[in-house]
Amino acid sequence: MIRKKVIAGNWKMNKTAADGVALTKDIVAEIGRETGVDVVVCPPFTALESVAHVLEGQAIKLGAQNMHPEKNGAYTGEVSAEMLRTLYVTHVILGHSERRAYFAETDAFINKKVLSALANQLKPILCVGETLAERESGTTLAVVQRQVEGGLQGVTPEQLTSVIIAYEPVWAIGTGKVATTEQAQEVHAYIRDLLTKLYGAALAQKVRILYGGSMKPSNAVELLAQKDIDGGLIGGAALEARSFVELVKAAGAAK
Ligand code: PEP
């Protein structure tokens, strides 16, 4: 099964609207019509609308970094799926390890967001991954299984192919320490096996599973060549057009 690769840039709390527009223009100039790879940029909420204007008529998609599961109401500081949709957002990162760690997000809460995103035609990028302590204590696969099963509770077979999963070992995020290709492929294959048990092989083969954690042009080619690695969720290297574009090109060239 050939799955179309995905390269998604997570800008985190970086870039003003003006900075985001400049970065997006540079990316568009290089790969605006790239259709062999699904390219997604995920600016902070404050830059979504300005970046959306730059992306008008381009193949590059717009993603948010978070959302609240409720439609509206007394949730100060939060933003709903419906609000994101009005800004031409198509993807949303959910359950990033920084939100799990700093904002105490649980699998149950992340699951509510996944269901709300899907109900509003947003494609969730569901992040999972173990901490260094969990890897060292040999619980990586159990942790990832709990996060995948918890995040996907109630997701129907019809909805599953709209979900993108990102395996991001927490110890590799923003640290410069990338997982070895064997470490990454092992967990990706485990996630696909789990999806096969939950949804059957035909659907499991269609789900894109991205790697995230210090991915950059120098290590991407080897990672993207792995059988179950279908792209990357990129932090640091997405903040600069040159490295992001190189990653998109590496994904386009990967078999
Ligand atoms: C991320 O935060 O999703 C990420 C992968 O960051 P970095 O590429 O900087 O490790």
Side-chain angles (χ1 to χ4, degrees):
M1 146 74 56
I2 307 284
R3 290 174 292 271
K4 192 170 179 185
K5 295 258 191 299
V6 181
I7 294 290
N10 173 14
W11 296 1
K12 309 194 187 191
M13 197 171 71
N14 293 295
K15 308 283 179 192
T16 62
D19 293 341
V21 163
L23 173 59
T24 308
K25 282 185 177 165
D26 287 346
I27 295 170
V28 163
E30 286 286 332
I31 47 157
R33 269 159 219 88
E34 168 70 64
T35 51
V37 178
D38 283 337
V39 181
V40 188
V41 292
C42 306
F45 289 138
T46 46
L48 284 171
E49 187 165 11
S50 318
V51 170
H53 289 306
V54 182
L55 293 181
E56 242 180 277
Q58 305 293 336
I60 299 172
K61 302 281 196 299
L62 186 61
Q65 299 173 18
N66 182 35
M67 51 165 259
H68 194 277
E70 296 300 330
K71 190 175 156 62
N72 50 37
Y75 300 100
T76 303
E78 294 292 324
V79 167
S80 71
E82 190 182 87
M83 293 168 181
L84 295 175
R85 288 274 297 159
T86 64
L87 296 178
Y88 307 101
V89 169
T90 53
H91 292 67
V92 59
I93 298 171
L94 297 176
H96 191 281
S97 61
E98 287 150 16
R99 297 216 53 93
R100 291 178 191 260
Y102 306 143
F103 302 96
E105 291 197 6
T106 61
D107 288 322
F109 188 51
I110 294 161
N111 176 240
K112 284 190 182 164
K113 299 186 190 204
V114 168
L115 296 177
S116 170
L118 289 167
N120 286 281
Q121 287 77 48
L122 289 176
K123 291 182 178 20
I125 302 176
L126 171 64
C127 301
V128 299
E130 81 287 3
T131 62
L132 185 58
E134 288 163 342
R135 175 158 284 271
E136 286 176 348
S137 65
T139 55
T140 296
L141 299 179
V143 167
V144 167
Q145 177 164 353
R146 190 199 71 221
Q147 292 174 338
V148 171
E149 287 179 347
L152 294 181
Q153 280 289 316
V155 171
T156 65
E158 294 71 37
Q159 290 173 321
L160 184 71
T161 49
S162 296
V163 177
I164 296 170
I165 295 178
Y167 167 57
E168 301 205 298
V170 179
W171 48 271
I173 295 179
T175 58
K177 277 187 211 151
V178 67
T180 65
T181 48
E182 293 76 21
Q183 285 173 326
Q185 169 57 27
E186 183 199 12
V187 180
H188 282 237
Y190 186 80
I191 293 172
R192 199 169 314 280
D193 283 351
L194 185 57
L195 295 175
T196 304
K197 286 189 195 110
L198 296 171
Y199 292 95
L203 280 179
Q205 286 300 321
K206 290 187 180 157
V207 176
R208 273 89 59 87
I209 307 174
L210 316 185
Y211 170 79
S214 299
M215 198 191 241
K216 29 185 185 289
S218 58
N219 56 35
V221 174
E222 219 191 317
L223 285 162
L224 292 168
Q226 301 304 304
K227 183 165 150 281
D228 291 292
I229 301 186
D230 306 311
L233 179 55
I234 319 296
L239 294 177
E240 207 207 304
R242 204 164 53 144
S243 43
F244 189 67
V245 165
E246 269 189 62
L247 286 164
V248 172
K249 290 184 176 164
K255 293 284 169 308

